[in-house]
Amino acid sequence: MEHLITMAGMNCWEFKKCGRQPGGAKEKELGTCVAATEKRLDGVNEGKNAGRMCFAVSGTLCWGKVQGSFAVKMSNCMECDFYEEIQKVDGAKMVGAKKILEILNRS
């Protein structure tokens, strides 16, 4: 709940403080998360790259391991505090997973 005030525009790596974004504290040790580098989603839901759409991107690094496809990981994501906060803050204006998958499949 404390995140709601600063949540607008916040990316997953900032919220989760994982350090897996380019130049992050844990990037060399744990690798770069695809959410931080997926440029096709830059600006969607006001995030940088896939920073506010991490749940729709395959291969994100969550819970200490690489996550699989959207269909496989979505149940985990729906329990994620970041995903819950995006739902609360962005609500009806949030670009949904269907549109995100269309964007990703264009390339």
Side-chain angles (χ1 to χ4, degrees), residues 5 10 34 43 52 54 61 64 66 75 84 87 96:
I5 295 171
M10 183 178 280
V34 68
R52 291 181 68 81
C54 50
L61 301 169
V66 174
S75 63
E84 290 174 4
Q87 293 287 321

Side-chain angles (χ1 to χ4, degrees), residues 19-75:
R20 293 175 170 167
Q21 73 279 14
K26 295 184 179 179
E27 180 187 25
K28 287 183 181 173
E29 174 189 351
L30 301 172
T32 305
C33 182
V34 68
T37 60
E38 178 51 77
K39 295 182 185 309
R40 293 176 291 178
L41 297 176
D42 190 46
V44 175
N45 290 338
E46 300 177 10
K48 179 175 181 176
N49 296 331
R52 291 181 68 81
M53 299 307 318
C54 50
F55 59 88
V57 180
S58 299
T60 56
L61 301 169
C62 304
W63 299 288
K65 61 182 184 175
V66 174
Q67 301 296 301
S69 69
F70 172 73
V72 171
K73 67 184 259 187
M74 194 58 200
S75 63

Side-chain angles (χ1 to χ4, degrees), residues 41 44-45 53 55-56 70 74 83 94-106:
L41 297 176
V44 175
N45 290 338
M53 299 307 318
F55 59 88
F70 172 73
M74 194 58 200
Y83 180 79
M94 181 177 162
V95 175
K98 182 178 178 183
K99 180 67 175 172
I100 297 307
L101 294 173
E102 287 174 11
I103 293 169
L104 291 172
N105 288 327
R106 281 187 216 146

